[in-house]
Amino acid sequence: MSSRNRLDFVRFSLGQGVLKFGQFKVKSGRLSPYFFNAGLFDSGKSVGELAQFYAQALVDSGVEFDMLFGPAYKGISLATATSIALANHPALKGRDVPFAFNRKEAKDHGEGGVLVGAPLQGKVVIIDDVITAGTSVRESVDIIRKAGATPAAVLIALDRMERAGPDDALSAHSAVQDVSQTYGIPVVSIASLNDIMQLLNEDPAFAEHKDAVVAYRAKYGV
């Protein structure tokens, strides 16, 4: 995506209350100067706009793909909405992109199994909100390969560009870099910490948060 589109997404996330500045204790136990909670994209209009950002990021990436896969649970609505946005994207000229998602528990009646939606085949893009530990990506890659299809990329909303582990033993790479290296596939993000930093540099309204984000990035960033 162009840097303007990426900044538009940062502003959109702020407007929806999905991105917040302050002091937040995150899953890792760290105190982060910003917080991104994609679960707060929780209305038809906001998810519709989010899906357009996902679709644009995927088209701009140049990744070749045949379908989308959304890991349960967050990925289910993301895959569904983004496939709709892709169907309406001018660059795809009316191409209809199938999608599938998994159940957390295998269904023991009807058609059974853990997969719902189109059969997994061809080049499959995994769509999620963020990558923290990479667990859902690993499970998704296993499901896709087991079906005889090929994982083509991971598509996420925000790349925090952050190293994992305790302060005295930080990992060499971010979770996103680890996923990309482990599976040999690109990770495409709508926006990243770079874009949040650009907003903080450009917009005086958020200037008070800049020093805290810069310090956090110096400590944990890649």
Side-chain angles (χ1 to χ4, degrees), residues 67-125:
M67 65 178 294
L68 305 178
F69 177 79
Y73 291 99
K74 279 183 182 170
I76 296 174
S77 59
L78 297 177
T80 307
T82 303
S83 70
I84 297 168
L86 288 167
N88 295 307
H89 195 290
L92 270 66
K93 298 174 181 164
R95 183 176 148 204
D96 196 10
V97 177
F99 67 93
F101 55 87
N102 65 312
R103 296 185 177 93
K104 288 279 193 185
E105 305 83 21
K107 188 177 173 188
D108 60 2
H109 59 280
E111 75 279 19
V114 294
L115 289 172
V116 183
L120 286 172
Q121 53 193 18
K123 298 184 175 96
V124 184
V125 171

Side-chain angles (χ1 to χ4, degrees), residues 48-68:
E49 286 189 53
L50 171 63
Q52 288 175 9
F53 279 110
Y54 269 114
Q56 191 62 49
L58 183 54
V59 168
D60 288 345
S61 74
V63 167
E64 288 185 13
F65 65 95
D66 298 305
M67 65 178 294
L68 305 178

Side-chain angles (χ1 to χ4, degrees), residues 203-221:
D203 195 329
F206 301 104
E208 66 185 286
H209 304 293
K210 183 180 169 183
D211 289 349
V213 177
V214 167
Y216 188 81
R217 183 175 194 175
K219 188 170 184 180
Y220 296 115

